[in-house]
Each structure stands twice: as C-alpha cells, then as structure tokens.
Amino acid sequence: MDGVPLYKLIMVLKYKAYAKVNIGLDVLRRREDGYHDVKMVMQTVNLFDELTMEDMSSNGIIISTNDDFIPTNEDNLIYKAAKLLMDEFHIEKGVKIDLVKNIPVAAGMAGGSTDAAATMIGINELFSLGLSKEDLMKRAVKIGADVPYCVMGGTALSEGIGEVLTPIKGMPQCLILIAKPEINVSTKFVYENLHANELKNHPDIDGLVDFIKNSDLAGIASKMENVLETVTAKEYPIIEDIKKYMKENGALNSIMSGSGPTVFGLFDDKEIAEKAYKGLVEKNITRQVFLTDLFL
Ligand code: ATP
C-alpha cells in the first residue's frame, strides 16, 4: 500500500460578500473615453451574499448558485475574478464556487462586484498567493470600477471612475431600510441619459464627508443626494413613491442607490424603522424589502 493516498485534503472557505449603498452620488463629467468621473460616498451594509469556495485537483472554475437569473458561466463576475488571479499565478488546480444570492441583482448595490471581490480574497487564500489588500485592489479594477471598493469595504469616498478610494472614519451606526422595485434599470441607459456635462445642480459630497467625519447623522441625512435620480426617478415613478413612503414613515432621509432602482432610507430609531419595514411589506409594492444596518 506504500505511496497510495487514502484521502486528499480539500480546503473549503466561506465568505460573506457585503452589498453597498451610496450615501451620496455625484457625476462630475463625461470623459472623452466615454467613462464618467464620479464623486460618491460608498457604505457597506449588513446584507450579504454567501460564497463557499473549494479547491479541486483538476483545473477549471465551476460555479453554482441558488439564483436562476444570474449566469454560472464565464459571464459571472465570480468567474472573471477567479480566472484573473488563477491565470496570472499559473494555478494548476481548479476551484468550485457556490453562491447563495441574497443581494438584489442589477439593483445599484454592487452585488456582482462584491461577489468578485470576495472571490479574489478567497483565491488569494485558497492558493496561498500572498497578495496584500492593496495588491488585490490594483487587480480588482480590471473586473469593474466598484470591485476595488468592495475589496476594501467600510465607508469610503470614491472618485475617478470609482477606483480612487479614500476611507472615511466616523460614520455612525444606523438602520437602513432597503426596497428594490421590480423594474430593470440599465446602468448604461442611466448614464447615457444623464448629460453629465450640462448638469446645473450637484450634490454637496464634501459637506457630506464632513458630517460623516463628525458622526453627525442628521447632518449626513441632510446631504444625502443621488444625481442619477434625475434620470431614473423621472422614468420610474415608483422610486419617488418609495422615497416618499420612507420619509413619511420616519426615515431621516431616503434616496436611490447607485444607478438604481433600489431605494434606501436611513433611520436612527429601531422601533420606527421596524414599523416602516412592516408597513412597506404590507403595501406589497415589491417583494424585495430588507431592514438592516451598516457594516462598519
Ligand atoms: P452596480 O451597483 O455595481 O451597478 P448592480 O447591483 O447594478 O451593480 P449586479 O447585481 O452586479 O448589478 O448585476 C448586474 C448584471 O451582472 C446582472 O444582470 C447579472 O446577469 C450579471 N452578473 C454577473 N455576475 C454576477 C453576480 N455574481 N451576481 C449578480 N449579477 C451578476
């Protein structure tokens, strides 16, 4: 029996991939190359996808998920993220990744980007690549503009096309009510219809950052604004309806996240937030309603 392995060791890793909301979002200009320069405050929230990663002796990237609507082939951002690192480091083995999707898809909550970020962190550990967070963030931008932020997490000012990141300290804990209307909003449509270079009014992102640094929740709420609503909310009235509901039911403020259509409200009182959550579920506007808090 000499030299015959009786079993092989399989490494299994589990990760939580957190969603984000934009506490504020401004678009500064459309660039010559078609990309947009943004200035936004990103914040991770306690709503997450779950990734289970396992190494395989044969090569390949195998993805499974509980969500019927997202691809499991090379179009999945998980696949792209795993391939990027496995190619660069000539990994001879393979990986199996199972995704439990909890974050609304195509919602403005960076669901795909955060899965890609968790995958990069997982591949780094699974195959002992020894990359630092900064090393991963440098590579992450090749997958998408929001992926470096998702590697970093927390509260951050995001500039450039989204990849120039400055962590911000001081965001106070609070409750976040999230509702994803059952409409599909294409990010491309929103940016194409924004006409960024002609915008007259811009959110006060510097003022917002100052309030965060002072842990002033009322001040933060007063500066919450998303310039992309000028396109999306005009096209889809349900966005204004949900914002109005949240504000009338105790939210300090409520805006759309990213290019939408997800709307979130910020609350400083648990009982009021829970009442608003129940009321929104009962209204039956959409099935995707979550009450959570910040992941700081
Ligand atoms: P962002 O806030 O970065 O704009 P989003 O929330 O609008 O992201 P995603 O949830 O990332 O959008 O999904 C956008 C599209 O990407 C979906 O239509 C989906 O088919 C595809 N996709 C690829 N990989 C994933 C993934 N792991 N999770 C979700 N969607 C994915």
Side-chain angles (χ1 to χ4, degrees):
M1 292 295 284
D2 275 2
V4 179
L6 292 178
Y7 57 86
K8 69 182 178 77
L9 264 182
I10 301 173
M11 192 147 142
V12 181
L13 298 175
K14 285 183 181 285
Y15 289 94
K16 288 178 180 171
Y18 291 89
K20 63 87 180 158
V21 292
N22 295 100
I23 307 282
L25 192 160
D26 193 14
V27 179
L28 303 181
R29 66 190 74 81
R30 187 186 148 90
R31 310 185 333 178
E32 294 278 307
D33 60 9
Y35 282 96
H36 289 81
D37 281 327
V38 294
K39 186 165 180 176
M40 49 195 189
V41 174
M42 320 281 276
Q43 175 63 57
T44 36
V45 293
N46 236 324
L47 174 64
F48 50 82
D49 290 344
E50 293 152 90
L51 279 86
T52 305
M53 303 178 61
E54 198 180 294
D55 61 344
M56 304 188 294
S57 46
S58 56
N59 54 25
I61 299 165
I62 299 174
I63 299 172
S64 54
T65 177
N66 64 333
D67 190 310
D68 295 338
F69 298 101
I70 52 176
T72 51
N73 59 13
E74 62 281 359
D75 292 332
N76 197 307
L77 295 183
I78 290 176
Y79 187 100
K80 291 184 206 287
K83 185 162 166 43
L84 182 91
L85 289 183
M86 290 170 78
D87 281 357
E88 181 183 343
F89 291 90
H90 310 290
I91 309 292
E92 300 289 327
K93 296 168 104 186
V95 63
K96 253 196 249 178
I97 305 175
D98 181 65
L99 167 69
V100 177
K101 194 84 202 159
N102 302 311
I103 303 171
V105 175
M109 300 194 75
S113 303
T114 195
D115 293 344
T119 300
M120 294 184 80
I121 293 168
I123 294 286
N124 186 35
E125 199 164 325
L126 207 54
F127 300 116
S128 308
L129 304 184
L131 297 171
S132 66
K133 210 175 226 191
E134 288 68 32
D135 293 334
L136 290 175
M137 286 166 68
K138 258 185 248 153
R139 290 163 174 84
V141 71
K142 294 181 195 162
I143 309 292
D146 283 350
V147 187
Y149 163 71
C150 293
V151 171
M152 188 174 94
T155 318
L157 176 67
S158 164
E159 295 171 285
I161 61 161
E163 85 296 12
V164 182
L165 295 164
T166 313
I168 314 169
K169 288 207 167 37
M171 184 71 193
Q173 186 55 278
C174 59
L175 292 124
I176 301 280
L177 179 57
I178 295 168
K180 152 78 175 42
E182 278 153 27
I183 48 174
N184 292 318
V185 178
S186 136
T187 305
K188 195 163 169 265
F189 168 85
V190 176
Y191 275 96
E192 274 174 7
N193 286 280
L194 181 67
H195 309 298
N197 297 344
E198 290 141 42
L199 285 171
K200 297 266 177 306
N201 297 318
H202 288 273
D204 178 12
I205 302 294
D206 292 332
L208 173 61
V209 171
D210 286 343
F211 279 125
I212 294 174
K213 287 178 181 165
N214 290 324
S215 304
D216 179 343
L217 200 57
I220 292 166
S222 75
K223 295 288 182 187
M224 279 167 60
E225 201 178 335
N226 180 348
V227 81
L228 297 181
E229 281 179 17
T230 55
V231 180
T232 321
K234 220 193 306 168
E235 192 74 16
Y236 306 101
I238 188 168
I239 290 170
E240 276 306 329
D241 294 347
I242 298 175
K243 283 174 58 180
K244 189 163 170 274
Y245 169 87
M246 290 198 187
K247 285 189 261 189
E248 284 174 358
N249 286 275
L252 300 181
N253 203 351
S254 170
I255 60 169
M256 187 179 82
S257 182
S259 54
T262 299
V263 173
F264 71 96
L266 197 144
F267 292 76
D268 61 356
D269 184 290
K270 193 158 185 262
E271 256 173 58
I272 293 175
E274 278 170 355
K275 206 164 156 227
Y277 167 76
K278 282 192 195 125
L280 195 54
V281 170
E282 277 159 20
K283 266 173 102 68
N284 214 11
I285 301 178
T286 171
R287 279 167 298 139
Q288 288 186 289
V289 182
F290 309 87
L291 179 60
T292 184
D293 59 5
L294 306 181
F295 182 69
L296 293 166

